[in-house]
Amino acid sequence: MEEKINFCFKKTKDLNVEEREQVNELYNETFKIFIEKKRSIDEFLFKYESNLLGFSYHGMIKNNNRVIGSYNVIPSEFSYFKEKKYFGQSVDTAIDKKFKGNIFNLRKLSQGVYEMMIKDNINFVYGLPNRSFYKVKKKILNWNDIGVLNYYIYPVSFKNFLWKLKMLDPAILFCFRLYNLIKFKYKKKNNFNIEKIGGNNFINLRYDATYSIIKEEKYKVVYKTVNKEKYNKAKFVYIIDIFPFSTNFLEEAIKKISLKEKEIDLIIYLDVAELKINNMVKVPNFFFKVKPNVSGKILSKEIISENIFNKYNWQVNLSSFDVK
């Protein structure tokens, strides 16, 4: 059969049943080695409709009316130098392996999505691409770096990491606690020019029953507990979100989580911002073979300035990315 390639650009609410199914099937096939189970249509719709606009943006490459490529962007609400704006998060770009290699198709696909976004006054797109697609976005789609997601940790137990030396676990933890006691305590004011806008609506749309939420009078914290098989089934707690954001609230939340959750090994918080968190330690970036690079692209330079690529303007954590 002769190939007949065409491009199609739609919002989630305008996708027909076949397009939903085919975009989702392409995702399941492309990312099968990274996902535990196939994503259902209900999960597809929840992902792309669970935002304050109620839809996302989708670009599709079709061959003989069959989806062979997709480029998807989810809108998120941000405070940008005290102005409320929507940015788009690029997620789950997928190309059928039989049709990979044509950079012009990828450029045309992404540009069509960007044009839809600009019409809705969304003038910046960002994301946390994997290592291979990060290079494509930089070289082909002309994205620029914002910064690396920093890892901050609070160890509760080392026995599952250092299981061969687990007799030393109390001594190692004692040294960590002592270090936290004697190190200089920072008095902090957290002022950032670019932050995600949270709130009850965001919580209700973004998080399902797999997340835990602590609600205090002054702040809310969202976290998720994960068992890591490769670390001898160590139990990690990822702090996904805290708002309003404050390192003081974060420090208090860490204490509450460590008391509430039983037999956890490590509490982890990730953020682009360079933070001084008194009861956490920042993991040096050289420990990571693959650094999680946050990058983005300005779609309208009349509205968004180049200072958006200055990482010191940003406070953005896992809640702003497509993580489960």
Side-chain angles (χ1 to χ4, degrees), residues 196 199-200 203 207 211-224 237-246 248-258 260-261 267-269 280 317 319:
K196 180 198 82 271
N200 291 328
I203 285 182
Y207 304 114
Y211 294 87
S212 300
I213 302 175
I214 295 176
K215 297 180 180 180
E216 296 293 321
E217 184 180 347
K218 293 183 179 179
Y219 67 90
K220 295 180 178 69
V221 61
V222 181
Y223 65 93
K224 194 165 192 175
V237 167
Y238 286 91
I239 296 179
I240 306 295
D241 202 2
I242 183 163
F243 57 87
F245 179 81
S246 159
N248 293 324
F249 293 157
L250 180 57
E251 289 164 11
E252 184 179 322
I254 288 164
K255 294 175 186 176
K256 290 183 180 296
I257 292 170
S258 63
K260 180 181 178 182
E261 297 293 333
I267 299 175
I268 303 170
Y269 178 73
M280 300 191 92
N317 54 33
S319 67

Side-chain angles (χ1 to χ4, degrees), residues 94-299:
I95 305 292
D96 188 307
K97 60 184 178 183
K98 297 176 185 176
F99 296 89
K100 283 186 176 180
N102 190 324
I103 63 173
F104 299 104
N105 280 348
L106 182 59
R107 278 179 178 166
K108 186 174 180 179
L109 181 66
S110 61
Q111 190 58 41
V113 174
Y114 299 157
E115 287 171 6
M116 279 200 301
M117 294 166 59
I118 292 169
K119 288 179 182 177
D120 288 342
N121 199 29
I122 300 177
N123 300 291
F124 184 74
V125 61
Y126 73 95
L128 189 65
N130 60 37
R131 178 165 55 175
S132 58
F133 198 50
Y134 167 74
K135 294 177 182 178
V136 172
K137 283 189 170 179
K138 290 269 290 184
K139 293 181 180 179
I140 308 302
L141 303 185
N142 299 316
W143 282 41
N144 293 308
D145 288 339
I146 295 170
V148 174
L149 271 182
N150 298 305
Y151 278 74
Y152 301 91
I153 62 169
Y154 176 88
V156 181
S157 171
F158 285 103
K159 62 185 178 184
N160 284 316
F161 305 104
L162 308 174
W163 58 274
K164 292 182 179 179
L165 302 172
K166 61 183 177 182
M167 292 295 290
L168 296 178
D169 183 50
I172 296 171
L173 283 176
F174 173 79
C175 292
F176 176 80
R177 302 286 186 266
L178 182 62
Y179 166 75
N180 271 333
L181 283 172
I182 64 176
K183 75 176 183 179
F184 179 78
K185 301 297 181 183
Y186 296 91
K187 294 182 179 179
K188 310 164 290 283
K189 286 185 178 180
N190 304 122
N191 296 311
F192 299 97
N193 293 316
I194 306 171
E195 300 179 274
K196 180 198 82 271
I197 296 176
N200 291 328
N201 287 337
F202 181 85
I203 285 182
N204 294 334
L205 290 168
R206 174 70 169 82
Y207 304 114
D208 59 23
T210 63
Y211 294 87
S212 300
I213 302 175
I214 295 176
K215 297 180 180 180
E216 296 293 321
E217 184 180 347
K218 293 183 179 179
Y219 67 90
K220 295 180 178 69
V221 61
V222 181
Y223 65 93
K224 194 165 192 175
T225 304
V226 180
N227 288 312
K228 292 286 187 178
E229 292 291 332
K230 71 175 183 178
Y231 293 116
N232 200 29
K233 296 184 179 179
K235 196 173 181 180
F236 290 4
V237 167
Y238 286 91
I239 296 179
I240 306 295
D241 202 2
I242 183 163
F243 57 87
F245 179 81
S246 159
T247 48
N248 293 324
F249 293 157
L250 180 57
E251 289 164 11
E252 184 179 322
I254 288 164
K255 294 175 186 176
K256 290 183 180 296
I257 292 170
S258 63
L259 292 173
K260 180 181 178 182
E261 297 293 333
K262 304 301 181 185
E263 298 185 0
I264 60 174
D265 297 281
L266 195 66
I267 299 175
I268 303 170
Y269 178 73
L270 284 79
D271 204 305
V272 170
E274 298 287 339
L275 302 172
K276 303 297 185 182
I277 309 170
N278 286 323
N279 57 355
M280 300 191 92
V281 171
K282 180 185 173 185
V283 181
N285 287 329
F286 62 75
F287 274 91
F288 303 101
K289 289 182 180 179
V290 180
K291 297 178 177 63
N293 287 289
V294 181
S295 53
K297 179 182 177 70
I298 296 173
L299 306 184

